[in-house]
Amino acid sequence: MNDNKYDFLNRLTELDDYEIEKISEDFPFADKSAKKRIAKLCEEKLDMNNNKDEFITDRKADKITKTPWYRSYALGIAASLILVAGFGFLAIKGLSRQGTKDNQPENNDFYTGIVTETTSVTDTITTTASTTDEITSQTTTSTKTEISTTDTTEITVSSTTAPTTTTTAKKAAVHYSITLPSDANGKFIITFNAYRDGNFTAFKSKEITFPYDQNFDETITGEGTEKVYVMLENAITWDSGIIIGNYVFDYDSGNITTEYEDVRKAFEDAGAFRDYTQSDFKRQSVNEFMSMLNGIRGIQDDKTWLIIAEQSVSLLNWSMGTTLTNDEIISAWGIYTDNWTEADFDSFRHLYQLVYDEAFNIVTNGNGELLAQLGYSDSDFNFVELPLEPMETIKALT
């Protein structure tokens, strides 16, 4: 079936891009001279038609027939002009679309319905982007972007924060060494003291006993430089506050600068050269034994392991240096526990067991972190051979 004129008009008004480009190539847009030539031809043809008869006589019947309106020459000329103008308009429109198409960005630069934003931030931010073709409004801030749309999709943009560099102070050490007087007597404690956190504190100590010890060597760890006071204490008479020397410890280089030092005078002031009698030594040894027992009884909380470890170190030092025999220990224990109740014995038995067990732990396992808080290290006790007889004697008594 042939297409009617309405189908033809619809096809003219619903052309696709290809047909428009085809028409524009086959029928280029008429210029001004071409329009004048077409108009002149139309006028000449109109004059020719005006000279013809408008009526036709039928030989069979004297009937006059009028020419149908759709066969009018004027209407044909007008339709021709409309058609030419339509082709010209479509050609111009095709060229306009072609120019727009040529100016469009590439696919990687043009997005439909998707907004992509790259934002440099230090924290994770949330960007709300449109999923439709129309964006109604957009508000931008330094940390968050919101785009108002009908339907939105939440996109989380994560940022990478620059790594943080933590500088830890370097731990270093110096080696401190002095020669002890060969003619000294007694038991002494050498302590290392410094001003730390606004307080004058003893941060390390070590016990020596004459005539067994002739040299004193100790490795001290620390940071940077620090002024250190090395002091002496008599473990029997408890004379204390006696200065052996003042030094500047440079832990990073391992050097020690001596500001003052007089080892012999310090031991002399501490009573190391007194002419002790045998009874004096026994009395001092008994006082030292009872002082050690007082320390154990002074433990108030059996869960305070630092206090327990402190008394365990005291027990080890006493056991290695006491001059008391087993019989003398038993005799001194009887004097010390005179007038004790059964509850006193039960309490001391419990506390002594804690101290005794921790002393074994220090010797066998080290526990360097706990010892460092008391001013000691693993090497101070790793040479001890257990069991020590004085410790075992007290355990039997309890």
Side-chain angles (χ1 to χ4, degrees), residues 79-133:
S80 298
L81 290 174
I82 292 172
L83 181 61
V84 171
F87 285 156
F89 173 77
L90 293 176
I92 293 172
K93 187 175 181 181
L95 290 175
S96 176
R97 288 191 177 183
Q98 182 65 29
T100 304
K101 180 179 179 182
D102 294 339
N103 295 329
Q104 287 182 349
E106 298 294 332
N107 291 336
N108 55 356
D109 295 329
F110 184 75
Y111 300 87
T112 302
I114 300 176
V115 176
T116 302
E117 177 176 328
T118 302
T119 308
S120 178
V121 292
T122 57
D123 298 321
T124 301
I125 65 172
T126 301
T127 300
T128 305
S130 172
T131 56
T132 63
D133 292 338

Coordinates of all heavy atoms in Angstrom, one line a residue, residues 79-133:
A79 N 3.3 24.9 -2.0 CA 3.8 23.7 -1.4 C 5.3 23.5 -1.7 O 6.1 23.0 -0.9 CB 3.0 22.5 -1.9
S80 N 5.6 23.8 -3.0 CA 7.0 23.7 -3.4 C 7.9 24.6 -2.6 O 9.0 24.2 -2.1 CB 7.2 24.0 -4.9 OG 6.5 23.1 -5.7
L81 N 7.5 25.9 -2.4 CA 8.2 26.8 -1.5 C 8.4 26.3 -0.1 O 9.5 26.3 0.5 CB 7.6 28.2 -1.5 CG 7.7 28.9 -2.9 CD1 6.9 30.2 -2.8 CD2 9.1 29.2 -3.2
I82 N 7.3 25.7 0.4 CA 7.3 25.2 1.8 C 8.3 24.0 1.9 O 9.1 23.9 2.9 CB 5.9 24.8 2.3 CG1 5.0 26.0 2.4 CG2 6.0 24.0 3.6 CD1 3.6 25.7 2.7
L83 N 8.2 23.2 0.9 CA 9.1 22.0 0.9 C 10.6 22.4 0.8 O 11.4 21.9 1.6 CB 8.8 21.1 -0.3 CG 9.6 19.8 -0.4 CD1 9.4 18.9 0.8 CD2 9.2 19.0 -1.6
V84 N 10.9 23.4 -0.1 CA 12.3 23.9 -0.2 C 12.7 24.5 1.1 O 13.9 24.3 1.6 CB 12.4 24.8 -1.4 CG1 13.8 25.5 -1.4 CG2 12.2 24.1 -2.7
A85 N 11.8 25.3 1.7 CA 12.2 26.0 3.0 C 12.4 24.9 4.1 O 13.3 25.1 4.9 CB 11.1 27.0 3.4
G86 N 11.6 23.9 4.1 CA 11.7 22.8 5.1 C 13.0 22.1 5.0 O 13.7 21.8 6.0
F87 N 13.4 21.8 3.7 CA 14.7 21.1 3.5 C 15.8 22.0 3.9 O 16.8 21.5 4.5 CB 14.9 20.7 2.0 CG 14.0 19.5 1.6 CD1 13.7 19.4 0.2 CD2 13.6 18.6 2.5 CE1 12.9 18.3 -0.1 CE2 12.9 17.5 2.1 CZ 12.5 17.3 0.8
G88 N 15.7 23.3 3.6 CA 16.8 24.3 4.1 C 16.9 24.3 5.6 O 18.0 24.3 6.1
F89 N 15.7 24.4 6.2 CA 15.7 24.4 7.7 C 16.3 23.2 8.3 O 17.2 23.2 9.2 CB 14.3 24.6 8.2 CG 14.2 24.5 9.7 CD1 14.5 25.5 10.5 CD2 13.7 23.3 10.3 CE1 14.4 25.5 11.9 CE2 13.6 23.2 11.6 CZ 13.9 24.3 12.4
L90 N 16.0 22.0 7.7 CA 16.5 20.8 8.2 C 18.0 20.7 8.0 O 18.8 20.1 8.8 CB 15.8 19.6 7.6 CG 14.3 19.4 7.9 CD1 13.7 18.2 7.2 CD2 14.2 19.1 9.4
A91 N 18.5 21.2 6.9 CA 19.9 21.2 6.6 C 20.6 22.0 7.6 O 21.7 21.7 8.1 CB 20.1 21.7 5.1
I92 N 20.1 23.2 7.9 CA 20.7 24.1 8.8 C 20.8 23.5 10.2 O 21.8 23.5 10.9 CB 20.0 25.5 8.9 CG1 20.2 26.2 7.6 CG2 20.5 26.3 10.0 CD1 19.4 27.5 7.5
K93 N 19.6 22.9 10.6 CA 19.6 22.2 11.9 C 20.6 21.0 12.0 O 21.2 20.8 13.0 CB 18.2 21.7 12.1 CG 18.0 21.1 13.5 CD 16.5 20.8 13.8 CE 16.4 20.2 15.2 NZ 15.0 19.8 15.5
G94 N 20.7 20.3 10.8 CA 21.7 19.2 10.8 C 23.1 19.7 11.0 O 23.9 19.1 11.7
L95 N 23.4 20.8 10.3 CA 24.7 21.4 10.5 C 25.0 21.9 11.9 O 26.1 21.8 12.4 CB 24.9 22.6 9.5 CG 25.0 22.2 8.0 CD1 25.1 23.4 7.1 CD2 26.2 21.3 7.7
S96 N 23.9 22.5 12.5 CA 24.0 23.0 13.8 C 24.3 21.8 14.8 O 25.1 21.9 15.7 CB 22.8 23.7 14.2 OG 22.9 24.1 15.6
R97 N 23.6 20.7 14.6 CA 23.8 19.6 15.5 C 25.2 19.0 15.3 O 25.8 18.5 16.3 CB 22.8 18.5 15.2 CG 21.4 18.9 15.8 CD 20.5 17.6 15.7 NE 19.2 18.0 16.3 CZ 18.2 17.1 16.4 NH1 18.4 15.8 16.0 NH2 17.0 17.4 16.9
Q98 N 25.7 19.0 14.0 CA 27.0 18.5 13.8 C 28.0 19.3 14.5 O 29.0 18.7 15.0 CB 27.2 18.4 12.2 CG 28.6 17.8 11.9 CD 28.7 16.4 12.2 OE1 27.7 15.7 12.2 NE2 29.9 15.9 12.5
G99 N 27.9 20.6 14.4 CA 28.8 21.5 15.1 C 28.8 21.3 16.6 O 29.8 21.2 17.3
T100 N 27.6 21.1 17.2 CA 27.5 20.8 18.6 C 28.1 19.5 19.0 O 28.8 19.3 20.0 CB 26.0 20.8 19.1 OG1 25.4 22.0 18.7 CG2 25.9 20.6 20.6
K101 N 27.9 18.5 18.1 CA 28.5 17.2 18.3 C 30.0 17.3 18.3 O 30.7 16.6 19.1 CB 28.0 16.2 17.3 CG 28.6 14.8 17.4 CD 28.0 13.9 16.4 CE 28.5 12.5 16.5 NZ 28.0 11.6 15.5
D102 N 30.6 18.1 17.3 CA 32.0 18.2 17.2 C 32.6 18.9 18.4 O 33.8 18.6 18.8 CB 32.4 19.0 16.0 CG 32.1 18.2 14.7 OD1 31.9 17.0 14.8 OD2 31.9 18.9 13.7
N103 N 31.8 19.7 19.1 CA 32.4 20.5 20.3 C 32.2 19.8 21.6 O 32.6 20.2 22.6 CB 31.7 21.9 20.4 CG 32.1 22.7 19.2 OD1 33.2 22.6 18.6 ND2 31.2 23.6 18.8
Q104 N 31.5 18.6 21.5 CA 31.3 17.9 22.8 C 32.5 17.3 23.3 O 33.4 16.9 22.5 CB 30.2 16.8 22.5 CG 28.8 17.3 22.4 CD 27.8 16.2 22.2 OE1 28.3 15.0 22.0 NE2 26.6 16.5 22.2
P105 N 32.7 17.2 24.6 CA 33.9 16.5 25.2 C 33.9 15.1 24.9 O 32.9 14.5 24.5 CB 33.8 16.8 26.7 CG 32.3 17.0 26.9 CD 31.8 17.6 25.7
E106 N 35.1 14.5 25.0 CA 35.3 13.0 24.9 C 34.5 12.3 26.0 O 34.2 12.9 27.0 CB 36.8 12.7 24.9 CG 37.6 13.3 23.8 CD 37.2 12.7 22.4 OE1 36.7 11.6 22.4 OE2 37.4 13.4 21.4
N107 N 34.3 11.0 25.8 CA 33.6 10.2 26.8 C 34.2 10.2 28.1 O 33.5 10.1 29.2 CB 33.5 8.8 26.3 CG 32.5 8.7 25.1 OD1 31.7 9.6 24.9 ND2 32.7 7.7 24.2
N108 N 35.6 10.3 28.2 CA 36.2 10.3 29.5 C 36.1 11.6 30.2 O 36.5 11.8 31.4 CB 37.7 9.9 29.4 CG 38.4 10.8 28.4 OD1 37.8 11.7 27.8 ND2 39.7 10.6 28.2
D109 N 35.6 12.7 29.5 CA 35.4 14.0 30.1 C 34.0 14.3 30.4 O 33.7 15.3 31.1 CB 36.0 15.1 29.3 CG 37.5 15.0 29.1 OD1 38.1 14.4 30.1 OD2 38.0 15.4 28.1
F110 N 33.0 13.6 29.9 CA 31.6 13.9 29.9 C 30.9 12.8 30.7 O 31.1 11.6 30.4 CB 31.1 14.1 28.5 CG 29.6 14.5 28.5 CD1 29.3 15.8 28.8 CD2 28.6 13.6 28.2 CE1 28.0 16.2 28.8 CE2 27.3 14.0 28.2 CZ 27.0 15.3 28.5
Y111 N 30.0 13.2 31.6 CA 29.3 12.2 32.5 C 27.9 12.5 32.4 O 27.5 13.7 32.5 CB 29.9 12.2 33.9 CG 31.3 11.8 34.0 CD1 32.3 12.8 33.9 CD2 31.7 10.5 34.2 CE1 33.6 12.5 33.9 CE2 33.1 10.2 34.3 CZ 34.0 11.2 34.1 OH 35.3 10.9 34.2
T112 N 27.0 11.5 32.4 CA 25.6 11.7 32.5 C 25.1 11.2 33.8 O 25.1 10.0 34.0 CB 24.9 11.0 31.3 OG1 25.4 11.5 30.1 CG2 23.4 11.3 31.4
G113 N 24.6 12.1 34.7 CA 24.0 11.6 35.9 C 24.9 11.2 37.0 O 24.5 10.7 38.0
I114 N 26.2 11.3 36.8 CA 27.2 10.9 37.8 C 28.1 12.1 38.1 O 28.7 12.6 37.1 CB 28.0 9.7 37.3 CG1 27.0 8.5 37.1 CG2 29.0 9.3 38.4 CD1 27.7 7.3 36.5
V115 N 28.3 12.4 39.3 CA 29.2 13.5 39.7 C 30.4 12.8 40.4 O 30.2 12.2 41.4 CB 28.5 14.5 40.6 CG1 29.6 15.6 41.0 CG2 27.4 15.2 39.8
T116 N 31.6 13.0 39.9 CA 32.7 12.4 40.6 C 33.6 13.6 41.1 O 33.9 14.5 40.4 CB 33.6 11.6 39.6 OG1 32.7 10.6 39.1 CG2 34.8 11.0 40.3
E117 N 34.0 13.5 42.4 CA 34.7 14.6 43.0 C 35.9 14.0 43.6 O 35.9 13.0 44.4 CB 33.9 15.3 44.0 CG 34.6 16.4 44.7 CD 33.8 17.2 45.6 OE1 32.6 17.3 45.3 OE2 34.2 17.6 46.7
T118 N 37.1 14.7 43.4 CA 38.3 14.3 44.1 C 38.7 15.4 45.1 O 38.9 16.5 44.7 CB 39.5 14.1 43.1 OG1 39.1 13.1 42.1 CG2 40.8 13.7 43.8
T119 N 38.7 15.1 46.3 CA 38.9 16.0 47.4 C 40.1 15.6 48.2 O 40.1 14.5 48.7 CB 37.6 16.2 48.3 OG1 36.5 16.4 47.4 CG2 37.8 17.3 49.3
S120 N 41.0 16.5 48.5 CA 42.2 16.3 49.3 C 41.8 16.6 50.7 O 41.6 17.8 51.1 CB 43.4 17.1 48.9 OG 44.5 16.9 49.7
V121 N 41.7 15.6 51.6 CA 41.3 15.8 53.0 C 42.2 15.0 53.9 O 43.0 14.2 53.4 CB 39.9 15.4 53.2 CG1 38.9 16.3 52.5 CG2 39.7 13.9 52.8
T122 N 42.2 15.3 55.2 CA 43.0 14.5 56.2 C 42.1 13.5 56.9 O 42.6 12.5 57.4 CB 43.6 15.5 57.2 OG1 42.5 16.2 57.8 CG2 44.5 16.4 56.6
D123 N 40.8 13.7 56.9 CA 39.9 12.7 57.5 C 39.0 12.2 56.4 O 38.8 12.7 55.4 CB 39.1 13.3 58.6 CG 40.0 13.8 59.7 OD1 41.0 13.1 60.0 OD2 39.7 14.9 60.2
T124 N 38.3 11.0 56.7 CA 37.3 10.5 55.8 C 36.1 11.4 55.7 O 35.5 11.8 56.7 CB 36.8 9.1 56.3 OG1 38.0 8.3 56.4 CG2 35.8 8.5 55.3
I125 N 35.7 11.7 54.4 CA 34.5 12.6 54.2 C 33.5 11.9 53.4 O 33.8 10.8 52.8 CB 35.0 13.9 53.4 CG1 35.4 13.5 52.0 CG2 36.0 14.6 54.2 CD1 35.7 14.7 51.2
T126 N 32.3 12.4 53.4 CA 31.1 11.8 52.6 C 30.7 12.7 51.6 O 30.4 13.9 51.9 CB 30.0 11.5 53.6 OG1 30.5 10.6 54.6 CG2 28.8 10.8 52.8
T127 N 30.6 12.3 50.3 CA 30.1 13.1 49.2 C 28.8 12.5 48.7 O 28.8 11.4 48.4 CB 31.2 13.1 48.1 OG1 32.4 13.6 48.6 CG2 30.7 14.0 46.9
T128 N 27.8 13.4 48.6 CA 26.5 12.9 48.1 C 26.4 13.4 46.6 O 26.5 14.6 46.3 CB 25.4 13.6 48.9 OG1 25.6 13.3 50.3 CG2 24.0 13.0 48.5
A129 N 26.2 12.4 45.7 CA 26.2 12.7 44.3 C 24.9 12.3 43.7 O 24.2 11.4 44.1 CB 27.3 12.0 43.6
S130 N 24.5 13.0 42.6 CA 23.2 12.8 41.9 C 23.3 11.5 41.0 O 24.3 11.3 40.3 CB 22.8 14.0 41.1 OG 21.7 13.7 40.3
T131 N 22.2 10.8 41.0 CA 22.1 9.6 40.0 C 21.1 10.0 38.9 O 20.9 9.1 38.0 CB 21.6 8.4 40.7 OG1 20.3 8.7 41.3 CG2 22.5 8.0 41.8
T132 N 20.6 11.2 38.8 CA 19.7 11.6 37.7 C 20.5 12.6 36.8 O 21.6 13.0 37.1 CB 18.5 12.3 38.2 OG1 18.8 13.4 38.9 CG2 17.7 11.3 39.1
D133 N 19.9 13.0 35.7 CA 20.6 13.9 34.8 C 20.6 15.4 35.2 O 21.3 16.2 34.7 CB 19.9 13.8 33.4 CG 20.2 12.5 32.8 OD1 21.1 11.8 33.2 OD2 19.4 12.1 31.9

